[in-house]
Amino acid sequence: IEQGRLIHNQIIKSGFESDVTVGNALLDMYAKCSSLEEAYKVFDKLPNRNVVSWGALIAGYVLHGHGLPALKLFHRMQQEGIEPDRVAFLSILKACGSIGAIEQGRLIHNQISQR
């Protein structure tokens, strides 16, 4: 994670932090390294979020056992008009299973089936 933080500082100095591709890579790195707070900060600063941004953050929360916040992010993503991709759907189904949200999982499964 220390190497990632050094790279993040270089990105800030170079002015690329607002680039969605760079931001997505940073938030994915932080999320996979269990630094969810830092991942969320990067996510929150992104001027334009896409499905990769949302999916990386959701997957990070699920990976580290935070199913309920992941589910809330998934709903927020949809409210903001972002259509989930396969990664987001897989992550959120895993989140539903981990927190015992069977009915929510069924609703999401129906969403997938209707695509």
Side-chain angles (χ1 to χ4, degrees):
I1 189 106
E2 288 308 315
Q3 283 294 102
R5 287 186 181 121
L6 290 173
I7 293 168
H8 188 178
N9 285 333
Q10 287 295 338
I11 289 168
I12 291 169
K13 288 176 186 174
S14 301
F16 289 109
E17 190 175 27
S18 63
D19 180 273
V20 71
T21 304
V22 173
N24 288 345
L26 282 172
L27 83 87
D28 186 55
M29 181 269 303
Y30 282 126
K32 287 179 178 171
C33 291
S34 192
S35 292
L36 297 175
E37 189 174 314
E38 288 177 272
Y40 190 83
K41 285 179 185 176
V42 171
F43 174 83
D44 201 39
K45 288 181 181 177
L46 284 175
N48 299 306
R49 298 178 197 121
N50 60 21
V51 69
V52 176
S53 314
W54 288 94
L57 191 60
I58 290 167
Y61 274 93
V62 173
L63 177 66
H64 298 291
H66 300 283
L68 190 56
L71 193 56
K72 289 179 181 178
L73 278 169
F74 182 80
H75 290 305
R76 186 172 144 207
M77 174 183 76
Q78 290 184 303
Q79 288 170 349
E80 291 189 18
I82 305 293
E83 283 292 315
D85 64 359
R86 291 178 177 168
V87 173
F89 276 128
L90 287 171
S91 295
I92 209 60
L93 286 174
K94 185 176 179 182
C96 289
S98 73
I99 62 173
I102 305 302
E103 189 56 36
Q104 190 66 39
R106 283 189 184 122
L107 291 171
I108 292 167
H109 181 265
N110 286 341
Q111 263 187 286
I112 296 167
S113 298
Q114 292 173 2
R115 295 182 124 216

